[in-house]
Amino acid sequence: MHAHSPATAILNGALEADLVVVGARGYGGFEGLHLGSVAHQVVNHARCPVAVFRPRHS
């Protein structure tokens, strides 16, 4: 993870959080990847639970 990435900023801001909430559009760039890269990094590196919300498709 790059030191100035959005995921790093979220993770640093959430060091003492009880929960992190992120949104995911599902544009990960890989077949079958259902989270965007920022949400994916936050889910994998957060020290607390992470809630991921996706937009409702019409």
Side-chain angles (χ1 to χ4, degrees), residues 37-48:
S37 61
V38 172
H40 183 75
Q41 290 176 20
V42 172
V43 165
N44 284 308
H45 298 288
R47 296 180 179 178
C48 63

Side-chain angles (χ1 to χ4, degrees), residues 15-52:
L15 288 175
E16 296 185 29
D18 293 325
L19 174 71
V20 175
V21 179
V22 295
R25 295 177 289 184
Y27 304 130
F30 298 100
E31 184 80 26
L33 182 62
H34 299 288
L35 295 178
S37 61
V38 172
H40 183 75
Q41 290 176 20
V42 172
V43 165
N44 284 308
H45 298 288
R47 296 180 179 178
C48 63
V50 178
V52 180

